[in-house]
Amino acid sequence: MENWIKSTYNRIQKNTETFLGYPLAKDFKYDQFAPFLNLCINNVGDPENNSTLAIDTKEIELKVVRFFSKVLQATPEDVWGYVTNGGTEGNLYGLYVAREAFSNATVYYSESTHYSVKKNLHLLQLPNVVIRSQENGEMDYEDLESVLILHRDKPAIFFLNIGTTMTEAVDQIDEIKKIIKKYAIKNYYIHCDAAFLGSFAPFVDEKPKFDFSNDIDSISISGHKFIGSPIPCGLVLVKRKHRNRIANSVSYVDTMDTTITGSRNGLTPLFLWSFIEQFGIEGLQKRAKEAQKLARYTEHELNKIGQNAWRNKDALTVVFDSPSKEIIKQFQLATDGNISHLICVPGITKENIDNFIVALQQEQTVKKLVIEDDETSTKKNLFIHS
Ligand SMILES: *Cc1c(COP(=O)(O)O)cnc(C)c1O
């Protein structure tokens, strides 16, 4: 192996072992697909339409789409989807078909929404209003209501977070629906950004409400987050009627141009399907429960050493007072102002958490000594001056 390849590999491998702050599962193994690296693979166009270019994995891609349609309470007759390059593309797609459904709609989303959404709205030139968030990161429904009163005659696109990036807060569909009903909003579209939770929440006991049984229009999920992948990927599911509204056929490749990009990744559907097959529903439930158990443990241990840790109900994201820059860097913690978080994704072990707690404790001890030292030197100074 050439040196630059070896050193790049080693750096990534080492840093993968230590990161705690990002929602990227590490317990996957896809090396059986190594032979595919020497092939041209391309899922160009609609996953349900074969192209004249027959070097695709669309059959497997559809298995992934159907699996998630089913766990998210939809039928293949009702819902269509494809494997994307990640959560951002799925959100862009949802907003795109929403705009095509209602030409003069306004988008409502909370201030805790992922940073990429603003850019998507800008690309699509969609009028939008940012709604305040509650302390835990969930949308402030009173603020939403006070804004909607002013626009009740216009179509509304609700962009909901099913797990915000910083605190894993879930916007409550029931609350949104109450407001829709109260103001008799006739034309509306609901998109769920389930980047992280979309592949986790369907497998836990008390499921948050966000699937197609709740009369929603589209869902975006990341594939490299709770599932895990060396290549970013994701899944978007939309009501079929929305996809049909934007479908155009392209003679050059003889398929339908229903996706954001033309050429599409054919490798990531193989990863996603092998992951689903390997675990099965029961395995996925077990994997989700284990992650929740570790999050509970982490919250408890952090509070034991006075870190003010908390998490949203059943969340894998544990939020706490930001430690020093050194610790943030060492454990690759995501930080926003004076709070940091770590996320108990599969692949993170109890031992990783314990090492982190020990590092925090050591820092607390050093800080205490410095303060005591400061106090004695101040006293000494006072003594000298007096
Ligand atoms: C990560 C994330 C995204 C973006 O997803 P990518 O897969 O990184 O494109 C969007 N929304 C939320 C809530 C996220 O956590």
Side-chain angles (χ1 to χ4, degrees):
M1 215 191 270
E2 289 198 47
N3 270 344
W4 65 270
I5 302 179
K6 213 186 264 171
S7 64
T8 307
Y9 180 88
N10 288 343
R11 180 178 56 82
I12 298 174
Q13 192 197 28
K14 180 170 153 275
N15 291 344
T16 299
E17 276 167 21
T18 48
F19 80 74
L20 293 180
Y22 293 88
L24 309 170
K26 316 175 185 188
D27 62 335
F28 57 83
K29 206 165 162 8
Y30 300 128
D31 51 6
Q32 60 175 318
F33 297 107
F36 284 85
L37 293 181
N38 296 330
L39 296 178
C40 294
I41 313 172
N42 200 322
N43 283 13
V44 62
D46 193 292
E48 293 178 358
N49 277 235
N50 288 325
S51 151
T52 40
L53 187 63
I55 51 166
D56 62 89
T57 63
K58 288 186 181 179
E59 202 185 321
I60 306 299
E61 182 180 13
L62 281 182
K63 281 179 188 273
V64 176
V65 170
R66 297 215 172 108
F67 175 82
F68 273 101
S69 302
K70 198 167 166 201
V71 297
L72 294 167
Q73 308 295 323
T75 61
E77 292 78 50
D78 232 26
V79 163
W80 170 95
Y82 72 95
V83 173
T84 61
N85 291 303
T88 306
E89 184 181 342
N91 286 336
L92 178 64
Y93 197 81
L95 289 168
Y96 168 47
V97 297
R99 188 192 70 179
E100 298 308 294
F102 301 114
S103 58
N104 58 341
T106 304
V107 181
Y108 303 93
Y109 62 107
S110 86
E111 58 182 327
S112 307
T113 300
H114 192 262
Y115 62 85
S116 61
V117 174
K118 249 209 146 51
K119 176 181 58 200
N120 285 349
L121 293 169
H122 187 64
L123 285 170
L124 292 166
Q125 294 280 299
L126 270 162
N128 60 85
V129 181
V130 184
I131 306 299
R132 265 201 295 273
S133 292
Q134 304 177 43
E135 198 70 25
N136 71 339
E138 192 177 328
M139 185 181 278
D140 181 333
Y141 310 107
E142 280 173 25
D143 194 42
L144 174 67
E145 189 170 342
S146 67
V147 170
L148 260 183
I149 294 174
L150 311 171
H151 302 271
R152 59 185 293 188
D153 54 327
K154 277 232 229 108
I157 299 169
F158 298 98
F159 185 100
L160 303 186
N161 288 305
I162 309 304
T164 57
T165 309
M166 201 57 207
T167 65
E168 210 181 309
V170 176
D171 294 338
Q172 300 297 320
I173 287 189
D174 287 347
E175 295 295 328
I176 307 292
K177 285 207 174 147
K178 260 189 232 161
I179 297 171
I180 290 173
K181 195 146 185 244
K182 185 164 169 191
Y183 295 98
I185 294 165
K186 257 209 321 278
N187 295 322
Y188 64 91
Y189 184 108
I190 301 178
H191 174 79
C192 293
D193 177 2
F196 180 50
L197 290 195
S199 54
F200 163 72
F203 308 110
V204 299
D205 284 341
E206 283 181 60
K207 298 184 186 66
K209 282 194 181 175
F210 71 102
D211 63 27
F212 286 94
S213 67
N214 297 287
D215 185 31
I216 58 133
D217 294 277
S218 50
I219 300 180
S220 170
I221 304 173
S222 294
H224 57 283
K225 288 190 171 173
F226 192 69
I227 292 175
S229 163
I231 304 173
C233 55
L235 185 74
V236 66
L237 296 173
V238 305
K239 288 258 177 78
R240 204 169 268 280
K241 62 180 179 194
H242 298 311
R243 172 258 182 215
N244 292 345
R245 199 176 286 118
I246 57 112
N248 289 306
S249 98
V250 195
S251 61
Y252 174 63
V253 280
D254 192 25
T255 178
M256 302 294 282
D257 187 22
T258 47
T259 54
I260 298 268
T261 65
S263 289
R264 294 189 304 111
N265 198 321
L267 206 49
T268 48
L270 302 182
F271 298 165
L272 296 177
W273 182 245
S274 77
F275 175 87
I276 293 165
E277 273 223 306
Q278 182 202 335
F279 282 94
I281 298 264
E282 267 178 39
L284 291 170
Q285 288 167 338
K286 191 161 161 257
R287 183 172 174 269
K289 278 205 185 111
E290 276 163 13
Q292 281 180 324
K293 194 171 147 199
L294 187 63
R296 216 173 298 129
Y297 172 79
T298 304
E299 182 188 8
H300 185 249
E301 292 301 301
L302 281 169
N303 280 330
K304 255 186 10 201
I305 62 163
Q307 254 340 103
N308 292 323
W310 63 275
R311 58 195 182 107
N312 275 305
K313 184 174 173 287
D314 296 335
L316 304 185
T317 304
V318 186
V319 187
F320 48 93
D321 296 345
S322 285
S324 69
K325 280 205 183 75
E326 289 70 35
I327 293 232
I328 289 173
K329 190 156 172 246
Q330 185 187 347
F331 293 94
Q332 301 170 64
L333 302 176
T335 299
D336 182 17
N338 53 4
I339 57 166
S340 295
H341 74 201
L342 67 78
I343 308 185
C344 295
V345 283
I348 287 185
T349 60
K350 187 164 168 287
E351 196 189 345
N352 294 146
I353 300 296
D354 290 341
N355 288 341
F356 171 64
I357 301 279
V358 168
L360 270 180
Q361 265 177 316
Q362 275 167 354
E363 182 167 81
Q364 287 175 344
T365 319
V366 172
K367 243 198 222 151
K368 225 168 122 196
L369 287 177
V370 171
I371 291 169
E372 277 168 11
D373 202 37
D374 259 11
E375 277 172 2
T376 29
S377 53
T378 320
K379 270 184 207 143
K380 267 190 218 144
N381 280 340
L382 285 176
F383 184 72
I384 292 165
H385 286 295
S386 62

